[in-house]
Amino acid sequence: MRIGSAISGLLLVLFLVVHLAGLLPALIAPLKFELYATTLHHQPWLPLLEVSLATTATIHLVFTVAKTLRNRRAGNTAALRSRRGRPLAALASRSKVAAGIITLGFLTLHLQQLRWPRPADGLEREALMQVLQQPISLLVYAAGSLVIGLHLLHGAEAAHRNLGLLTPVNGPSIRWGGRLLASVIGGGFLLISLGLALGGLA
């Protein structure tokens, strides 16, 4: 269960990195973004990739919930506190199930707005801007970005621990890497959302 949670989580992180890189041109290079989006949406393997991502996300959520319930049945009800003076990391660990549920809700809204149906070729950026210029949608997207960042703050260290790769020697590097990853991904999505809501930079 721990290994499945870690591997599925790392696969989702890989998707987030690729997705963020694909979205960045929407903020600074609209024509490149439209070309990228059109090319991607006409790939025959895209439906298989989407099903695989949905399956991976479901596995990760189910394993996380199952681990939490197992810990509670075992009598583990102690309040988690950081022994290293990192209350934000402790909050991220305590709220991992809630963060997953919020992320799932955000993802459902995101797909409903921009995937079902998918915008016409050449109109992807315009559709995204129209969504983000709605105050409620912008608030949801901003909250989703922050929640993803918070979840990654916990997940980077937890995944290495679950895979047996966390040691006293590499622990500090993994924690710093996790903070950097959470900042880049969560902050990146937040920046893109705010930038497109304001009309983009290009």
Side-chain angles (χ1 to χ4, degrees):
M1 188 180 298
R2 288 180 176 274
I3 292 175
S5 177
I7 292 176
S8 59
L10 291 174
L11 289 174
L12 292 173
V13 170
L14 176 61
F15 163 73
L16 288 174
V17 171
V18 173
H19 189 44
L20 179 61
L23 277 176
L24 187 58
L27 193 61
I28 58 178
L31 294 179
K32 290 184 179 180
F33 171 72
E34 293 295 354
L35 177 61
Y36 160 77
T38 299
T39 302
L40 176 64
H41 293 162
H42 286 280
Q43 296 302 315
W45 44 259
L46 183 59
L48 178 61
L49 175 62
E50 291 175 328
V51 171
S52 299
L53 285 171
T55 302
T56 302
T58 301
I59 290 172
H60 187 67
L61 181 60
V62 168
F63 280 173
T64 300
V65 172
K67 283 197 307 178
T68 301
L69 294 177
R70 185 180 64 180
N71 289 340
R72 289 183 179 177
R73 284 196 298 267
N76 184 4
T77 59
L80 183 62
R81 294 181 176 85
S82 175
R83 291 178 295 179
R84 294 187 294 268
R86 295 171 55 207
L88 189 60
L91 173 63
S93 182
R94 287 198 305 267
S95 62
K96 59 181 179 292
V97 174
I101 294 173
I102 292 173
T103 302
L104 184 61
F106 158 73
L107 181 60
T108 301
L109 175 65
H110 179 57
L111 292 175
Q112 185 271 326
Q113 290 175 326
L114 295 167
R115 173 62 177 86
W116 301 313
R118 179 168 276 147
D121 291 350
L123 298 177
E124 188 87 19
R125 183 176 185 268
E126 180 181 342
L128 184 55
M129 288 176 62
Q130 288 178 353
V131 166
L132 291 170
Q133 286 170 355
Q134 301 172 18
I136 294 180
S137 292
L138 178 59
L139 181 62
V140 171
Y141 276 64
S145 300
L146 294 174
V147 166
I148 288 173
L150 185 65
H151 192 55
L152 289 175
L153 190 63
H154 160 76
E157 180 177 345
H160 285 83
R161 181 185 298 111
N162 290 341
L163 293 173
L165 301 176
L166 184 68
T167 69
V169 175
N170 65 19
S173 298
I174 289 174
R175 293 182 190 104
W176 276 108
R179 295 173 198 172
L180 179 61
L181 180 69
S183 299
V184 170
I185 293 181
F189 282 120
L190 180 60
L191 176 63
I192 291 173
S193 298
L194 294 175
L196 291 178
L198 295 174
L201 301 181

